[in-house]
Amino acid sequence: MGEQTKMEVTGARIFVLDGIPYLPHYSEPNRYVGPGYGRDNHTTYNALELVAMGAKPDIEALWPRGWHKGGK
């Protein structure tokens, strides 16, 4: 078998609303998605929308997003 390597994770800003995490969209910068995105729901939010709804920012270790190139 080939050698397996762990994919690196990085600290990413998320928002938590009523205990539910909203994560950065994988390919759209400055957009956040909630549970079931892409399957049961297709709504995205920006940070201001989430804060207006009462969400609190937090940091979570996530795989790098598709738009996150070279640590920029």
Side-chain angles (χ1 to χ4, degrees):
M1 287 196 174
E3 182 179 323
Q4 293 185 3
T5 59
K6 284 186 173 181
M7 185 163 186
E8 189 173 322
V9 295
T10 184
R13 182 170 67 165
I14 69 165
F15 288 88
V16 180
L17 178 62
D18 296 328
I20 299 170
Y22 287 77
L23 306 179
H25 189 284
Y26 190 74
S27 61
E28 293 181 37
N30 305 314
R31 301 303 294 178
Y32 294 84
V33 299
Y37 179 79
R39 185 187 57 207
D40 298 324
N41 126 42
H42 297 283
T43 306
T44 65
Y45 305 89
N46 67 36
L48 292 176
E49 292 171 314
L50 289 166
V51 169
M53 293 187 304
K56 303 293 184 204
D58 201 355
I59 301 292
E60 186 70 44
L62 300 174
W63 293 329
R65 308 292 89 178
W67 47 264
H68 189 264
K69 305 288 185 210
K72 296 181 181 177

